[in-house]
Amino acid sequence: MTHEAHIRVVGDDLDDRSLALRRLVVRGLDGGKRGHLGSAFSLIETLRVLYDDILRYDPAAPRWAGRDRCILSKGHGCLALYAILADKGFFPADELDRFCQFDGILGGHPERAKVPGVEASTGALGHGLSIGIGQALAMRLQKRDSRVFVIMGDGEINEGSVWEAALSAGKHKLSNLVAMVDYNKLQSYDRTSVVQDLEPLADKWRAFGFAVHEVDGHDVAQLHRVLSAVPFQRDKPSAIICHTVKGRGIAAAEGNPDWHHKSKISDDDVAAMYAELA
Amino acid sequence: MRKTSLDCVYELARRDPRVVFIGSDLGAGTLDEFKEEMPDRFFMEGVTEQNIIGMAAGLAMEGFIPYVNTIATFITRRCFEQVAVDLCLHNLPVRLIGNGGGLVYAPLGPTHLAVEDLSIMRALPNMTVVAPVDKEEMARFVPQTLDMPGPVYIRLAKGGDPVVSREADGFTIGKAILMRDPGDFLLVSTGVMTNRALAAADALAMAGGLQCGVLHMHTVKPLDDAALLDLAGRVRGIITLEEHTLVGGLGSAVNDLLGDRLGRKAPPVLRLGIPDRFPDKYGTQDDLLGYYGLQPDAIANSVREFAAVT
């Protein structure tokens, strides 16, 4: 285990941008009266830094060939992705008011054919990394310098398919591929350490041929520094383990498995969340 | 048939830079020429079927046309969710070439038999399902897959199967081939069962003068509704033949169509195939086809019995 494995998430106050993005998530929760709240709130800073500072993209041309690809493999965290995509103008923010509704484009898991900016339809877990490998191989074959970022959940990487993909990424030395794990330490039932322990997690990725860094996934400056440094090693795929807090920003939700997914969200719940994120 | 299909992929790759090949852990020497000439488009990924399907999807999203090859049951059952979500939901041009469809791997037992591949593949929206009868038909078919927009599942047979297809019949995906005109009855078959259907029709014509047509339904999905509905109005009964479970395969597809579209005017249908239980014998493909009453003589007897009550 390296010193990095001991990174602890600091409890600094969220800045205005992080609060604003979380309010967009609440707008979606209000629209659908449901959603994977905890899973979305742990992702906010990761997606914020990617879309603010790291990724190349054009909201007016979501399939621009020269873009970087970013796959949210933990599709249940989609409200965070929808928030940043709306913020960037891929679609109007009022789509969030129709989250999970019959005619809406924003479902409980993201779909490539429906949502501008969504690279892959995910939700069934353990699919994104393999799709990202195919895209990264395509970039290499087409001699494009686009990069592929794949964001997975910690519960998600219970799936054996993730480790098939990890073998493959290492074999192909895909330096244009970045595997990110939103390590919020909680899955649906309980703590990951109880349900299916992942440790030593960084060592696992290293053993599969990745160059690995661990970060505080709510520390914007640290995320920026690490994400700016990919690939960490020539001829290796990169892995970033983002230590996060599930439900970050809502005190009752933080670290509470009951907030993995919520249905029947009331107007009072929404008002309380807005108040907390003001 | 397998060699022909892979040779076709090699030829396609030579003329079209979008074509890539992905195998799992295939036999030594497979597609050596491809690997030598186009190493950057040749992938042998090991026993990682779930990963291979996702990887093919990612390549297809970026404009490539992946041809994926491994044993039929492992390219369908093992990675079914990846096929459903990564390929079919995204509607991507990935071609799945399944070795040893049906009972080919008889000596290896039920873990290796692909006897529900047609039904599980045809259950998926956007998927095209094709089972050619012989290597010459395979050679006419594979080049047509190049520009199909969605995923295709191709069921291969054992190899060395008798050539019964005719060049003059051509090949169009989704268009059944009437190999013998119907008399009172029509045999509808797919894959190598079509050669058994032709032999059974011969036996029936010789022995008792029972005239049976043979409709080769090489494309199980989309089913050639028009051909079936046309012929259904001209026969006393239809017999479906498949080297496949009777749950959800060709016979079910034919029954569904006739029931839905013709109701009580539909001719009676006899479905011949594999019963709903795991195969419990080894031996050869022919042994198992005999065990299940799917060799020509047994088919002819079943047709006679059916004719007697129809």
Side-chain angles (χ1 to χ4, degrees):
Chain A
M1 196 177 291
T2 71
H3 70 284
E4 288 179 322
H6 299 293
I7 283 178
R8 292 188 50 203
V9 178
V10 293
D12 291 346
D13 288 341
L14 298 170
D15 67 12
D16 287 348
R17 178 140 179 76
S18 282
L19 289 169
L21 288 169
R22 280 179 173 76
R23 287 196 297 272
L24 281 176
V25 170
V26 175
R27 188 169 171 183
L29 287 167
D30 189 21
K33 305 297 178 197
R34 63 184 302 126
H36 284 89
L37 180 148
S39 318
F41 277 4
S42 62
L43 278 172
I44 295 288
E45 281 68 37
T46 302
L47 288 170
R48 164 187 168 179
V49 173
L50 277 168
Y51 280 83
D52 279 358
D53 304 315
I54 304 296
L55 298 175
R56 278 187 318 207
Y57 59 90
D58 178 1
R63 296 283 169 87
W64 168 51
R67 72 192 186 282
D68 291 323
R69 277 68 170 164
C70 180
I71 296 172
L72 183 65
S73 190
K74 52 168 282 187
H76 58 287
C78 59
L79 275 168
L81 180 63
Y82 297 158
I84 194 79
L85 292 177
D87 173 81
K88 294 295 181 185
F90 280 89
F91 51 80
D94 56 14
E95 283 294 341
L96 291 162
D97 300 330
R98 301 193 296 151
F99 175 63
C100 286
Q101 292 184 20
F102 184 74
D103 286 327
I105 62 168
L106 306 180
H109 296 94
E111 290 193 63
R112 175 181 165 99
K114 287 187 175 169
V115 189
V118 165
E119 292 288 351
S121 302
T122 55
L125 296 174
H127 291 231
L129 190 57
S130 294
I131 292 173
I133 288 169
Q135 291 182 323
L137 286 166
M139 298 305 121
R140 179 185 281 178
L141 284 167
Q142 293 167 342
K143 301 188 176 12
R144 294 183 190 280
D145 62 358
S146 298
R147 293 136 345 141
V148 183
F149 296 78
V150 179
I151 304 167
M152 292 168 281
D154 46 16
E156 174 180 14
I157 65 174
N158 293 173
E159 291 281 8
S161 56
V162 170
W163 302 102
E164 289 186 7
L167 277 172
S168 178
K171 164 191 161 176
H172 290 292
K173 305 183 192 313
L174 288 170
S175 56
N176 57 351
L177 178 73
V178 184
M180 305 179 70
V181 179
D182 180 29
Y183 197 12
N184 59 36
K185 321 291 188 302
L186 275 180
Q187 49 198 109
S188 180
Y189 181 75
D190 201 342
R191 286 169 290 150
T192 53
S193 59
V194 172
V195 178
Q196 191 64 277
D197 195 12
L198 299 167
E199 290 298 337
L201 186 56
D203 287 345
K204 285 188 173 69
W205 289 97
R206 283 192 191 93
F208 280 77
F210 285 71
V212 185
H213 276 276
E214 299 187 60
V215 297
D216 173 344
H218 297 299
D219 183 329
V220 172
Q222 204 180 118
L223 277 165
H224 186 275
R225 200 161 53 243
V226 170
L227 279 163
S228 299
V230 296
F232 303 133
Q233 254 179 267
R234 211 156 52 87
D235 298 335
K236 275 192 177 185
S238 305
I240 303 174
I241 295 167
C242 303
H243 292 270
T244 57
V245 173
K246 196 156 182 168
R248 178 84 166 91
I250 301 292
E254 287 190 6
N256 182 352
D258 290 342
W259 285 77
H260 170 76
H261 179 266
K262 279 283 183 195
S263 53
K264 298 177 188 160
I265 290 174
S266 69
D267 290 348
D268 288 346
D269 294 333
V270 170
M273 283 189 274
Y274 274 136
E276 202 167 346
L277 297 167
Chain B
M1 192 186 277
R2 172 166 176 257
K3 183 173 186 318
T4 302
S5 68
L6 296 187
D7 287 348
C8 289
V9 173
Y10 166 64
E11 291 301 330
L12 289 175
R14 289 185 75 184
R15 68 171 207 249
D16 192 319
R18 297 173 301 166
V19 173
V20 300
F21 177 82
I22 311 175
S24 58
D25 187 21
L26 302 175
T30 302
L31 280 177
D32 269 351
E33 282 178 311
F34 189 130
K35 185 181 179 186
E36 195 166 313
E37 282 177 44
M38 299 165 281
D40 53 343
R41 287 189 281 141
F42 178 92
F43 300 98
M44 193 64 68
E45 290 302 298
V47 194
T48 65
E49 292 86 358
Q50 300 177 86
N51 175 56
I52 285 170
I53 298 300
M55 187 177 139
L59 281 156
M61 285 173 180
E62 304 301 335
F64 289 94
I65 305 170
Y67 285 75
V68 180
N69 178 221
T70 189
I71 289 174
T73 195
F74 305 139
I75 213 172
T76 54
R77 279 206 303 227
R78 179 74 190 205
C79 46
F80 187 65
E81 188 180 85
Q82 278 76 12
V83 173
V85 175
D86 300 356
L87 305 188
C88 293
L89 178 59
H90 290 97
N91 199 17
L92 293 168
V94 174
R95 289 75 179 91
L96 306 176
I97 304 174
N99 298 346
L103 300 164
V104 169
Y105 288 112
L108 303 186
T111 58
H112 280 56
L113 299 179
V115 295
E116 74 292 274
D117 55 334
L118 303 178
S119 46
I120 64 176
M121 289 294 105
R122 72 178 273 269
L124 298 173
N126 295 328
M127 181 62 88
T128 295
V129 179
V130 181
V133 65
D134 59 38
K135 65 180 182 180
E136 292 187 9
E137 184 169 78
M138 182 65 77
R140 288 190 281 276
F141 157 57
V142 174
Q144 294 184 30
T145 60
L146 189 65
D147 289 314
M148 289 179 68
V152 184
Y153 172 63
I154 303 166
R155 185 199 236 205
L156 299 186
K158 186 177 182 205
D161 301 277
V163 173
V164 297
S165 69
R166 301 169 298 215
E167 190 170 4
D169 287 327
F171 190 96
T172 305
I173 294 163
K175 297 292 285 182
I177 296 172
L178 190 60
M179 309 221 23
R180 188 159 304 181
D181 288 332
D184 289 339
F185 292 90
L186 177 71
L187 300 170
V188 180
S189 55
T190 192
V192 295
M193 286 309 295
T194 293
N195 69 52
R196 272 88 180 172
L198 289 165
D202 283 344
L204 286 161
M206 273 196 295
L210 198 57
Q211 293 297 314
C212 286
V214 175
L215 184 68
H216 175 43
M217 194 66 74
H218 49 70
T219 307
V220 175
K221 185 183 182 182
L223 203 67
D224 188 347
D225 296 3
L228 263 173
L229 291 169
D230 172 46
L231 290 162
R234 293 156 52 186
V235 297
R236 276 173 50 203
I238 288 178
I239 302 95
T240 63
L241 303 176
E242 57 197 310
E243 186 187 2
H244 188 270
T245 173
L246 287 169
V247 180
L250 174 68
S252 298
V254 169
N255 245 350
D256 290 350
L257 174 78
L258 298 180
D260 290 349
R261 297 286 290 278
L262 301 179
R264 283 190 299 172
K265 291 180 182 163
V269 176
L270 172 68
R271 297 178 304 135
L272 299 180
I274 298 171
D276 182 23
R277 59 174 189 262
F278 285 101
D280 57 352
K281 299 288 184 188
Y282 302 110
T284 66
Q285 179 188 23
D286 274 330
D287 289 338
L288 285 188
L289 285 170
Y291 182 55
Y292 293 123
L294 294 172
Q295 294 288 25
D297 286 350
I299 293 167
N301 284 336
S302 295
V303 172
R304 279 190 206 98
E305 289 171 15
F306 180 58
V309 298
T310 302

